[in-house]
Amino acid sequence: MSPVRRNGARRVLRGRRRGNAPPLPDYWAADVLKAAGAEVHLAHPLGVKAFSYRRVKNDERDAADLADLLRMGRLPEAWIAPHEIRELRELTRYRHKLVGLRTSCKEQVHAVLAKLGIPITCSDIFGAGGELWLGALALPQPYAGKVASLRMLTAELTREITLLDTVIASLLERHDGYHAVQALPGIGPVLAAVIVAEVGDVRRFASAGRLCSWAGLTPRHRESDAKVARGHITKQGSPILRWAMVEAIQRLPADTPVRARRDAIIARRGRKHATSPRPPPPGSCSPACSTRCATAVPDPWTGGRHETRPAAGSA
């Protein structure tokens, strides 16, 4: 977070990247400045990335350049989410993290059983019948203690996830977008909460293409004279929103127009997954497929219908 430079009653904040994580804007500082009566603008880190290529780079020069861009009306700004959206994001992202931890615990139990050469005779070893089957196994130490510890952690994480589901559902009980987006095929309460929390006010997007570009689901475009190169999706957006979109496309019910379009793309391009070198499970679809299939979905917030262009999508 660079220092700010006074320009009338305005302040300019710049979010930065940390490692491979998405930009982490200092919302707390923005709230303090707003409470003091300042007009706050959040500069998008990718829009001011050229600052790092200067021969002389320091906070004073950064603040001066940000103020100059703001004065000329050329400052690349990012959206500052309101308090209620940020609080909802904390819950949905924390739930997503807990689900990942629970999945890791379950995978470790499977790894122990595979290491000992024990065949699994039930479809879900963490279901009602699977728990009984696991409890009846006579495992040697230290594997027995490890499996018992992992089962205990899995049960505790499940209780926390269930509690978060209840809290999130109560917060979104009267949210029109939350209920409207669940009417779309493949989207349930969990994905709907993630989409609503990450997108926020969908009316700030003029079209589905802009929403999809903001989510990082559009392909890279490099054009010079008559040469045009289109690459993988940009991934310049919320990772959890892209995950929700891909999950929704993978779980489309049969006999729906979006499912037919998805199957047509898979038949033409194959079962590829652009974000993972591992073979995808049956019925999976690349992020590009989710981008193109989502264009046929009406916008649940505004009631309109987005145009269906190949490189556009809707959340």
Side-chain angles (χ1 to χ4, degrees):
M1 183 67 196
S2 62
V4 296
R5 175 184 178 183
R6 182 181 299 271
N7 183 14
R10 297 179 176 179
R11 301 292 187 276
V12 179
L13 304 178
R14 183 178 65 175
R16 289 185 174 179
R17 286 184 175 273
R18 298 178 181 177
N20 295 325
L24 298 176
D26 195 342
Y27 288 124
W28 179 83
D31 294 338
V32 171
L33 291 174
K34 283 185 177 180
E39 180 182 350
V40 180
H41 298 262
L42 180 64
H44 198 288
L46 295 179
V48 294
K49 190 176 181 180
F51 290 1
S52 61
Y53 297 103
R54 291 197 309 252
R55 288 185 301 170
V56 177
K57 185 186 181 304
N58 51 41
D59 292 338
E60 183 179 355
R61 292 289 303 274
D62 289 350
D65 288 343
L66 289 174
D68 291 338
L69 290 174
L70 178 62
R71 185 176 63 255
M72 294 184 296
R74 299 175 61 92
L75 179 70
E77 296 191 41
W79 181 59
I80 301 179
H83 283 284
E84 57 273 13
I85 296 298
R86 277 139 54 184
E87 293 172 357
L88 182 60
R89 284 179 179 178
E90 287 291 332
L91 294 176
T92 55
R93 293 177 181 180
Y94 182 54
R95 183 195 181 280
H96 186 72
K97 178 65 68 174
L98 291 184
V99 171
L101 293 175
R102 184 178 64 178
T103 302
S104 176
C105 292
K106 292 181 178 181
E107 289 174 346
Q108 292 183 64
V109 173
H110 280 275
V112 170
L113 297 179
K115 185 181 296 184
L116 297 177
I118 300 176
I120 299 177
T121 59
C122 52
S123 58
D124 183 13
I125 62 175
F126 294 96
E131 289 288 345
L132 296 176
W133 178 78
L134 274 177
L137 290 177
L139 302 178
Q141 291 293 348
Y143 304 107
K146 181 179 180 179
V147 170
S149 175
L150 290 171
R151 291 175 62 188
M152 180 185 63
L153 291 175
T154 301
E156 186 63 30
L157 288 171
T158 300
R159 285 191 289 270
E160 292 295 328
I161 293 171
T162 303
L163 177 61
L164 284 175
D165 288 336
T166 304
V167 174
I168 293 173
S170 63
L171 289 177
L172 296 174
E173 183 178 3
R174 299 183 179 179
H175 194 286
D176 295 336
Y178 173 70
H179 297 288
V181 78
Q182 293 186 57
L184 305 179
I187 298 180
V190 174
L191 297 184
V194 171
I195 293 173
V196 169
E198 296 299 320
V199 173
D201 187 6
V202 76
R203 291 172 296 182
R204 58 195 177 95
F205 299 102
S207 65
R210 294 190 179 184
L211 171 58
C212 192
S213 177
W214 177 82
L217 285 170
T218 52
R220 296 182 181 275
H221 186 90
R222 300 288 187 270
E223 182 175 354
S224 178
D225 192 21
K227 295 183 179 180
V228 178
R230 300 176 68 87
H232 296 291
I233 59 175
T234 63
K235 298 185 181 180
Q236 293 178 359
S238 172
I240 190 174
L241 178 58
R242 290 193 299 274
W243 164 82
M245 286 300 305
V246 175
E247 287 293 317
I249 291 299
Q250 291 181 358
R251 285 157 177 77
L252 287 173
D255 301 329
T256 58
V258 183
R259 173 66 177 271
R261 188 172 185 181
R262 189 205 73 174
D263 293 341
I265 295 175
I266 291 179
R268 185 176 70 256
R269 300 182 57 185
R271 296 184 180 277
K272 298 179 181 179
H273 200 292
T275 59
S276 174
R278 296 176 296 177
S284 64
C285 181
S286 70
C289 295
S290 67
T291 302
R292 299 189 62 178
C293 294
T295 58
V297 177
D299 185 354
W301 278 275
T302 62
R305 189 175 183 83
H306 292 314
E307 53 182 323
T308 58
R309 292 184 294 180
S314 170

